[in-house]
Amino acid sequence: MSYPNLPALLEAIIYLAEEPVGVDAIRKALPEVDRAELDSAIQGLIEKYAAPEHGIEIREVADGLRFSTKPEHHETLKKFLKSQIAPTRLSLAALETMAVIAYRQPVTVPEIQEIRGVHAAGVIKTLLDKRFVATAGRKEVLGRPILYKTTKEFLIHFGLKDLSELPSMEEFEELIKTQAASEETIETAEQTELPLEEV
Amino acid sequence: MSYPNLPALLEAIIYLAEEPVGVDAIRKALPEVDRAELDSAIQGLIEKYAAPEHGIEIREVADGLRFSTKPEHHETLKKFLKSQIAPTRLSLAALETMAVIAYRQPVTVPEIQEIRGVHAAGVIKTLLDKRFVATAGRKEVLGRPILYKTTKEFLIHFGLKDLSELPSMEEFEELIKTQAASEETIETAEQTELPLEEV
Amino acid sequence: MVDELKISLPLYEGPLDLLLDMIRKQKIDIYDIPIAQVTQQYLDYLHLMKELNVDVASDFLVIAAQLIYIKSRMLLPPDPDAAEELEDPRIELVRRLLEYEKFKNAAQMLYQREMIENAVWSNPGAVDIDQAELEPELTVGLYDLLLAFREVVKRSEQRPPMEVDREEFSVEQMMAFLWENISAASGEVPLTRVLPEITSRRRLITAFLAILELTRLRAIYLRQDRPFGEIIARANPNYELSKSASAS
């Protein structure tokens, strides 16, 4: 059996899959389709939907493909959401912890606390509950603390294709240096006031 | 405000709506769009997706419009969906049984049922089939019930080097205890906006 | 005393966050922190928080202690006997602050990504193929396993303790009882006819186990003609219960 209309079938598969579909999974489901043909059909589909006449697009997330609406329609689309599910937004504490895990994984709670300067194991529970992190064995040091790593859900939630898509730590270092150099940037960005002056 | 790309917006709306969207609802959300223009844009979209190069179509069902996959792909899609059910997935009953075996091994079925409060002999078979558990002799009590233990596949699937890497209940309680404090942080943080800097 | 020090300050994610903000806001050269001045400001801030009845988390006190320690070390005249140059006591703190700042920026990057993701939607109600034949299952990890076990333990603790009537049948007695009744029927007999009245969960389990064991020993044969139908039992006339039952 061959697929006379491969792009159409691919479109249906990507549309239907609940989670981002990996190209491997598609390949396995369509073993008789030539690999190069499949890849180029997928690429063609992505490009087709990227055009402005489409309001939905195919994105590569967590090593897979999925349809989603384009951000530019966000405001109008909000009105059509039946159940306005509040979007998941992590607290600053959770985001910081998430960042440490993403960049230092596998990492233990004591190591996270050392970097953040805060005792807050509870945040880990939040991230575990949201499935953004998972355990990854134990570290062979005193107390054998549990190691944590990021999950596929982490990639999906933050719209990352894979971990290599994360900007490098050096980029943040650079950023800090440029910020320190140009004071104006800092001042405009500053929104919170230290209440020291009021004392 | 007008919509320079009405078909794209309509496409996103129809894709997004959890239930079929009525044309009336669309009209209400886009009051500034001319009625005839809207109708013809919708008609155009429907026709576009009806073409054979698309695997999904816009269908007019009872009370509105909705995307769905085209029937001619259903056989392949069903196959695909089935192959998507990863062998590493477990039903809740299986997961619970798995947990009891992992933490209480070696353990017999009557013991598992006693702690779960549910009869679940069939579940053991699932776990045996998936090679997550294996028999471990018989318990020398009346009826000599079979003992079950976890396997190497279990360790591999759950990313454990050995059983000592299983997190203990105590460690877990530690996480929950500290969460009370961190949850407050989450709520306060939800209200404060992160100063957005040009990253 | 420890109990009083639990809630972190709302504005700052921790002592490093506070310290870093003070330094950046006042455009202090982080590699040459005026430690006396910064320590004073830090302590003032903690003091203010206390006045506002905000509990100061112990993490903040740890850094306060460290600042005071660094300050005192810097006030000491260099020890003439010590090997030439001592390391700047501020270095370790600066290293931590810079490291923390990188992650703070990373957190901000994640925040922005999250915002973008929250502006798009995927898979609202895509699946319209009959999913009945597809068993709903969970992709599970270790954490799920732990949660499941915790749930099970909690449930079993909440269940009223089973009323264990010591006068109840043991599995062995139940086996004897059933064997007697089934073989007395000489031929096929519906299982429900030979079972004792099931008055408790325990008795149900006992009966269940006894039937299983009798079947395993080939003392009885069971037959069921259709799903959920009546189960028919037949005794094996060549079998003597006492032999193997006493073995266990």
Side-chain angles (χ1 to χ4, degrees), chain B residues 15-16 18 59 66 68-69 74 77-78 81-82 85 88-92 95-96 98-100 102-104 110 114-119 138 142-144 154 157-158 160 166-167 169 172-173 176 184-185 188 193-197 199, chain C residues 6-8 10 13 105 107-109 111-112 115 121-125 128-129 131 133-153 155-156 159 162 170-172 201 204-205 208-209 213 216 248:
Chain B
Y15 170 82
L16 174 71
E18 281 159 71
R59 275 160 57 185
R66 62 174 305 190
S68 72
T69 54
H74 279 195
L77 291 179
K78 245 189 229 174
L81 281 179
K82 271 195 188 149
I85 297 180
T88 48
R89 289 183 165 204
L90 294 175
S91 69
L92 187 62
L95 177 64
E96 282 192 7
M98 186 74 255
V100 175
Y103 281 95
R104 288 283 152 83
E114 168 68 26
I115 181 167
R116 282 192 62 219
V118 184
H119 285 266
R138 287 174 181 275
L142 196 84
R144 302 187 70 236
F154 164 81
H157 173 63
F158 288 96
L160 298 165
L166 267 180
M169 292 280 271
F172 185 66
E173 298 306 326
I176 292 175
E184 288 172 61
T185 331
T188 13
E193 281 285 306
L194 243 182
L196 282 184
E197 285 158 31
V199 176
Chain C
K6 57 183 178 203
I7 301 170
S8 64
E13 288 307 316
N105 279 297
Q108 210 164 71
M109 176 274 300
Y111 174 79
Q112 283 170 322
M115 293 255 291
W121 291 278
S122 291
N123 283 335
D128 57 354
I129 282 204
Q131 285 235 306
E133 17 185 328
L134 306 165
E135 203 187 332
E137 295 185 319
L138 326 152
T139 314
V140 296
L142 198 53
Y143 179 61
D144 304 276
L145 195 70
L146 185 71
L147 281 185
F149 186 59
R150 191 164 174 274
E151 205 43 52
V152 165
V153 169
R155 221 166 53 206
S156 84
R159 253 197 330 264
M162 227 181 262
S170 70
V171 176
E172 203 166 4
R201 227 186 131 74
L204 178 75
I205 293 171
F208 178 67
L209 292 176
E213 184 65 3
R216 192 184 70 80
S248 55

Side-chain angles (χ1 to χ4, degrees), chain B residues 142, chain C residues 167-182 194-214 220 241 245:
Chain B
L142 196 84
Chain C
E167 301 305 307
E168 274 278 11
F169 284 167
S170 70
V171 176
E172 203 166 4
Q173 287 166 329
M174 184 67 86
M175 281 168 69
F177 174 84
L178 287 171
W179 167 252
E180 223 171 279
N181 280 300
I182 295 170
V194 291
L195 279 172
E197 201 193 351
I198 303 295
T199 51
S200 67
R201 227 186 131 74
R202 186 178 182 83
R203 187 176 272 204
L204 178 75
I205 293 171
T206 311
F208 178 67
L209 292 176
I211 292 166
L212 282 186
E213 184 65 3
L214 283 170
I220 61 168
L241 182 68

